[in-house]
Amino acid sequence: DAGITQSPRHKVTETGTPVTLRCHQTENHRYMYWYRQDPGHGLRLIHYSYGVKDTDKGEVSDGYSVSRSKTEDFLLTLESATSSQTSVYFCAIRDVQGRNTEAFFGQGTRLTVV
Amino acid sequence: GNSVTQMEGPVTLSEEAFLTINCTYTATGYPSLFWYVQYPGEGLQLLLKATKADDKGSNKGFEATYRKETTSFHLEKGSVQVSDSAVYFCALSRAGGGADGLTFGKGTHLIIQP
């Protein structure tokens, strides 16, 4: 299994509070991603990173920010959590070389905003 | 933009039945194609992949063939087991690689009854 650790695995928070989710990898892969998974929507990309301090928005980035200060860590922050951000969040990593374009996923963080 | 369409299910089969889960895609050029599997409470695991037209990916008795002419990558298994019950995601990464992640279908929930 790819070395990807997400923390926390479960979190309940109140509307309006800030929340930070962490993704840590030990594979030294260049690209890192945050997805959210919701019933009926599959996985949707929130933000991604293509290097230290290099990030870009995905299709559902509103209300989220990210930071990557080290190759191994990619943080997802909800500045002011809303109930619509209740979801399961997955971190993924890729190291695109030749035909190796697959992504590897963490175990997920279940976030509930009440 | 890129998109992936797959049957959402749930798909319910009896043990030892033949399985087909359809997946079609829209993309320019020759993307790489993937099937991922998600067991309850877990992250996504790569099941198989194909990186060029007419390639067949296979793993654990599952197979899928990259059909450029029909833009399809249908997942098949000759004899399913109860342990195959999971959610299956078809995905693509755009031709030429790139940092902007994989595009996923909405997932197909497969239920195998003994």
Side-chain angles (χ1 to χ4, degrees), chain B residues 25-31 33 52-55 65-73 95:
Chain B
Y25 68 90
T26 301
T28 56
Y30 290 81
L33 301 173
K52 63 182 189 295
D54 300 323
D55 264 2
T65 301
Y66 188 141
R67 301 288 187 199
K68 178 64 174 174
E69 64 275 15
T70 55
T71 61
S72 65
F73 192 55

Side-chain angles (χ1 to χ4, degrees), chain B residues 19-30:
Chain B
L19 168 71
T20 300
I21 301 177
N22 290 337
C23 171
T24 57
Y25 68 90
T26 301
T28 56
Y30 290 81

Side-chain angles (χ1 to χ4, degrees), chain A residues 7-114:
Chain A
S7 58
R9 292 292 313 279
H10 302 271
K11 186 170 182 65
V12 179
T13 193
E14 293 186 348
T15 299
T17 60
V19 177
T20 295
L21 308 183
R22 180 179 183 241
C23 178
H24 178 78
Q25 62 146 330
T26 58
E27 305 296 322
N28 201 36
H29 282 4
R30 178 179 176 185
Y31 304 132
M32 298 186 75
Y33 306 85
W34 279 106
Y35 288 88
R36 59 179 290 173
Q37 182 179 21
D38 303 287
H41 292 279
L43 274 81
R44 293 179 292 174
L45 183 64
I46 305 171
H47 280 281
Y48 63 97
S49 170
Y50 46 96
V52 173
K53 300 190 189 303
D54 292 323
T55 65
D56 207 345
K57 296 178 179 180
E59 64 175 301
V60 290
S61 59
D62 287 349
Y64 301 95
S65 63
V66 290
S67 66
R68 192 169 178 199
S69 59
K70 298 184 290 185
T71 298
E72 57 267 35
D73 290 325
F74 192 32
L75 303 180
L76 176 70
T77 297
L78 292 66
E79 301 292 347
S80 177
T82 67
S83 58
S84 65
Q85 294 175 313
T86 293
S87 186
V88 181
Y89 291 86
F90 287 99
C91 175
I93 63 175
R94 290 171 81 207
D95 199 16
V96 179
Q97 294 183 22
R99 297 192 181 280
N100 295 324
T101 59
E102 62 265 34
F104 300 95
F105 284 80
Q107 293 290 83
T109 295
R110 182 173 295 277
L111 177 67
T112 303
V113 183
V114 298

